[in-house]
Amino acid sequence: ARVQGGVRTTAVPVSRLVTVTDRIAMLKIDVAGSDMRVLRGALPAMGNRTIDNVVLQLYPPEQWTKTGRASLEEGAHTIKHAMTAGYEVRLMASSPVSKHPSWTTDHPDPAPIRDALGIRYYMLAEYEVRVLIRATEQCKCGTYLWFVKS
């Protein structure tokens, strides 16, 4: 356990959370550079449909490699693996990368989808994952991905 900003936090592997509960409605991952490592650790639970939604703050690949955790290719493979496990991957429309030229050049005039709660997002196809990761690399900005059990 550690105290940060007056709040005591404890790091718990996703695999341990799954032993405590049979369903996780929402898992938020914001771990500054270890995002791919944590997402990879969540894949078994995603594969057996234990987790309904995952919100991932995706940092640029240079952050992954600084922490020695993953390359661009490994990150793309991890996200695609979540897709094949039955998750839709959505880029949140409010994410900085969705407005950056490195993304908008390949996606001119993309109209975001708006769900029943008013959340705006873009649905990602498998071929767009690598493009998105490269866009985060070029803009040096993080972005939010939402994995939704389909």
Side-chain angles (χ1 to χ4, degrees), residues 1-20:
R2 76 177 186 180
V3 177
Q4 184 177 7
V7 177
R8 182 184 162 144
T9 61
T10 303
V12 178
V14 175
S15 58
R16 190 170 339 148
L17 285 176
V18 174
T19 63
V20 175

Side-chain angles (χ1 to χ4, degrees), residues 85-108:
Y87 286 79
E88 296 175 351
V89 180
R90 301 172 179 183
L91 169 64
M92 304 309 293
S94 59
S95 294
V97 75
S98 69
K99 318 246 183 314
H100 193 270
S102 59
W103 177 256
T104 57
T105 300
D106 291 330
H107 299 82

Side-chain angles (χ1 to χ4, degrees), residues 1-137:
R2 76 177 186 180
V3 177
Q4 184 177 7
V7 177
R8 182 184 162 144
T9 61
T10 303
V12 178
V14 175
S15 58
R16 190 170 339 148
L17 285 176
V18 174
T19 63
V20 175
T21 182
D22 60 350
R23 181 174 165 267
I24 298 171
M26 174 70 73
L27 175 66
K28 181 177 185 283
I29 302 172
D30 182 355
V31 288
S34 294
D35 27 347
M36 286 300 113
R37 187 176 97 178
V38 174
L39 182 62
R40 195 173 27 235
L43 287 174
M46 293 171 79
N48 69 22
R49 318 290 280 163
T50 302
I51 303 172
D52 294 340
N53 296 276
V54 176
V55 174
L56 171 74
Q57 182 163 2
L58 180 71
Y59 287 82
E62 68 184 35
Q63 293 287 334
W64 312 342
T65 55
K66 279 182 187 175
T67 59
R69 305 293 184 213
S71 67
L72 186 146
E73 291 303 317
E74 290 167 323
H77 177 74
T78 300
I79 293 170
K80 288 177 183 179
H81 191 65
M83 294 171 111
T84 60
Y87 286 79
E88 296 175 351
V89 180
R90 301 172 179 183
L91 169 64
M92 304 309 293
S94 59
S95 294
V97 75
S98 69
K99 318 246 183 314
H100 193 270
S102 59
W103 177 256
T104 57
T105 300
D106 291 330
H107 299 82
D109 194 31
I113 299 166
R114 185 181 299 269
D115 74 2
L117 298 174
I119 299 170
R120 296 176 34 234
Y121 63 90
Y122 303 101
M123 188 76 71
L124 293 181
E126 192 171 312
Y127 75 90
E128 294 175 299
V129 170
R130 187 172 278 105
V131 174
L132 174 68
I133 292 171
R134 286 208 171 98
T136 65
E137 187 174 48

